[in-house]
Structure formats: C-alpha cells, structure tokens
Amino acid sequence: MGKNKKTHLPNEKYLSLPAHAEAATPIIDTHTHLLSTFSSYKSKYTSGKYETVWDFVRGIYAGRNVKAIVDVWCEAPVQSAWKELADSAITPDGRAENWGGIEYWFVMGVHPHEASVYTDAVEKSILEAMAHPRCVGWGEIGLDYHYDNSPRAIQQQVFTRQLRQAVKLGKPLTIHTREAEEDTERILKQEVPVHHKIHIHCFTDSPEFAQRLLDHFPNLHIGITGVISYLTNVNTSALVRQMVASPGGPRILLETDAPFMIPANIYASLPEVKGRLPLCHTAMIPWVAEFTAGVVGGGWGTAKIMQRANENAQLVYGI
C-alpha cells in the first residue's frame, strides 16, 4: 500500500502577503465569503493568532490598501451572524474600530446549490437584510448544472423568484452561472430589465455566452477571480481579451471568491513558501489584476486593470 503524501501547511505568517508593486491602487473585492474564509483559517491554523473575523481582517489586510469588500451570504437558512458583522460597519467609527477603516458591504441571496431548501421563511430573512444600510445587492443566485446539488427545475424556480424580488427592490444582482448558459440567459432576459445592474460572478463559461449578455444588458459586468490564472480555464482569458477590444473597454469587476480561487501567479512573490497556501483572501486581488493585465497586454498594466475594476464597482454597487 502506498503512503499518503503529507500536505505541508505554510506558516501562518505567509498569509500576510508582501506589498504588491502596484499597491498604490486601492483594493476593492466585489465578492468574498468572509465568514467562510475566517472559518477556513481557524480550521487550518487551530492555534492561529486571530480570534475573531474582525481580528483577521485588521491583521491580514493591515497595510495592504484594502478599500472595500462585498461580503456574500448565500446559505439557506440565512446565517444569523450576518447582522452582527453588518451592524459593526454602520458608522464611520464602527468601521474604523472593527474593520480597520475598511468599507464593509454585503449582498445576500440563496446559492443554486441550496435552492431546494429555499422557503418563505428564508425569503423573509433575506428581505430583512435588504433593508440594511450596508446591503448593496441580492446574491449570489443563479444556476449550477455542473454539480446539480438541487434539481434543475427547482433551481430555475428559485432563481426566478429571487430575481423578481431583487428587481422589485431595485437591488443589483450577483449571479452564479455554471454550465447552464441557455437557461441562465433565457431567465435573465425574461425577468430582468435591460438597464438593471448585474454582476456575473467568477465567470468561466463561453465567451460567446458572456458577449450575448453584455450586448443585451449595458450595466452588466463580469467578475474575474484567480481562476483566470488556472491552466484548466481558457474561457475567462479569451473573454477578457474580447472585452478589452470592445468599445468602452472591459466591463470587469475584480473578486476573490475567498476562501477559494487562490491566484496561481501569487507564488512568484512568495519564493520561500513551501507547499500551497490553504486559503484565498482579499489582499490577493492585485495578483488577479496582474495576471489579467498580462493576458490583455496593450498597455493594460496591473494598476490600470484595478482602477477600471474599481470604477466599475462604483457603477454596479455604488461603492
């Protein structure tokens, strides 16, 4: 019998990344799962120095020019912790004390994986959250035919139901779509007004599908994560090149989807690290931008990609 390989866990200190060469551009992470990221940290570093999610944010992001994060709550039933985090960021003093001055925002919805447990009570909880002053959108919601964790018919029903509520409230949409191009496009075009603000999160499907959405919805933007740096993914790079060549330039947003999607190119900045970092976090955004800039070329450096994405975050989420 073969022996299992022992996975080497890098020292916790390496989660505090070196300053990126383009650190002068503020970081806006338009899609992070903060509580999941902190839980992942605590599970990997059981004796870690950060005791609370606020400690983690203030410590890991200190000096990294993180301006704002959009935290994503997409579980059913809704996790009650959302309110404590959101309430702690209502006032400037609260953001200074709890978040180290970082602008904390959030969106809420139910992920397609959990569509089968969407209920009236869940929807009532989401509607309560929509009224919170730090809430900037409804999501992430959509269709996922890769895993099919919920039956497709139920995914479509719940997606439609959430879209109708979000549109009624005028809330920007954070959309998850994977291997469900035809149904996602059909439902969005049926249910969402043309000028509604839409964020297609962590896009990996065909560039042709994305272009149809971009052509139909002028306020739709595409979320780019570290997955753009993975050899298994060619679609995202092709789409970014396509968008850069389009009139008006790339309608992109930068995001981490933390704790997932560590940018593959980050290890060039961490030559002393043995093994792989166990989680992604918001301070990795410059490496997502750096890889994206390398893909498109033509004068689009890391700082320019980040600046454009930040302008787009203002357009979509008002942050």
Side-chain angles (χ1 to χ4, degrees):
M1 292 178 67
K3 294 181 178 178
N4 291 329
K5 286 186 176 180
K6 185 177 180 181
T7 301
H8 183 83
L9 182 67
N11 190 290
E12 178 184 354
K13 68 180 181 181
Y14 294 118
L15 291 178
S16 296
L17 302 170
H20 193 275
E22 303 289 346
T25 308
I27 292 171
I28 297 178
D29 186 353
T30 58
H31 193 107
T32 180
H33 300 272
L34 193 53
L35 207 60
S36 295
T37 302
F38 179 65
S39 296
S40 179
Y41 162 77
K42 291 299 287 184
S43 70
K44 298 295 183 182
Y45 299 98
T46 52
S47 300
K49 61 182 177 179
Y50 302 120
E51 292 298 322
T52 70
V53 68
W54 296 279
D55 294 338
F56 179 83
V57 167
R58 290 194 305 268
I60 293 288
Y61 302 163
R64 294 299 171 264
N65 207 10
V66 178
K67 178 183 177 183
I69 59 174
V70 178
D71 193 13
V72 180
W73 301 85
C74 57
E75 301 78 19
V78 171
Q79 295 186 69
S80 59
W82 77 265
K83 196 169 188 311
E84 185 180 8
L85 268 63
D87 284 352
S88 74
I90 290 177
T91 66
D93 286 348
R95 294 190 293 276
E97 179 182 350
N98 298 305
W99 298 96
I102 294 169
E103 291 283 326
Y104 175 90
W105 306 96
F106 76 95
V107 299
M108 186 180 291
V110 171
H111 194 284
H113 288 344
E114 302 188 28
S116 58
V117 290
Y118 191 90
T119 63
D120 290 346
V122 169
E123 185 168 272
K124 183 179 179 182
S125 296
I126 298 172
L127 288 168
E128 177 189 345
M130 288 298 120
H132 197 281
R134 305 310 289 179
C135 180
V136 291
W138 193 305
E140 69 188 88
I141 63 176
L143 304 174
D144 192 309
Y145 293 176
H146 179 79
Y147 288 107
D148 283 321
N149 286 357
S150 288
R152 293 182 181 185
I154 293 177
Q155 288 189 50
Q156 292 177 35
Q157 292 165 13
V158 170
F159 184 30
T160 299
R161 181 171 172 177
Q162 292 185 88
L163 287 174
R164 289 176 179 173
Q165 288 286 9
V167 167
K168 190 188 305 181
L169 294 172
K171 287 288 188 180
L173 297 163
T174 305
I175 304 297
H176 174 108
T177 180
R178 189 173 185 188
E179 298 173 20
E181 295 187 5
E182 183 178 340
D183 287 334
T184 296
E185 182 176 355
R186 173 180 56 82
I187 293 171
L188 283 175
K189 288 180 176 179
Q190 283 177 354
E191 300 295 338
V192 181
V194 167
H195 292 284
H196 203 87
K197 295 173 181 178
I198 304 171
H199 172 188
I200 305 292
H201 142 71
C202 191
F203 190 88
T204 57
D205 287 325
S206 75
E208 295 79 13
F209 168 49
Q211 193 60 53
R212 292 194 301 272
L213 294 178
L214 288 162
D215 290 343
H216 184 83
F217 296 103
N219 292 319
L220 181 144
H221 290 70
I222 303 291
I224 309 298
T225 68
V227 77
I228 193 173
S229 65
Y230 297 175
L231 292 174
T232 53
N233 172 35
V234 296
N235 282 344
T236 308
S237 291
L239 173 59
V240 168
R241 283 190 289 264
Q242 187 174 297
M243 284 196 288
V244 166
S246 301
R251 279 153 50 189
I252 60 170
L253 296 167
L254 292 175
E255 50 171 296
T256 57
D257 200 20
F260 314 107
M261 311 297 180
I262 297 170
N265 58 321
I266 201 167
Y267 295 102
S269 301
L270 300 168
E272 67 277 26
V273 169
K274 309 300 180 191
R276 288 289 180 257
L277 296 175
L279 58 96
C280 185
H281 62 72
T282 291
M284 295 183 183
I285 283 283
W287 283 268
V288 178
E290 178 188 88
F291 193 93
T292 304
V295 165
V296 300
W300 283 88
T302 304
K304 188 174 180 181
I305 289 287
M306 291 179 69
Q307 183 59 38
R308 174 57 63 91
N310 289 355
E311 291 167 0
N312 291 339
Q314 172 66 33
L315 291 172
V316 177
Y317 291 116
I319 62 175

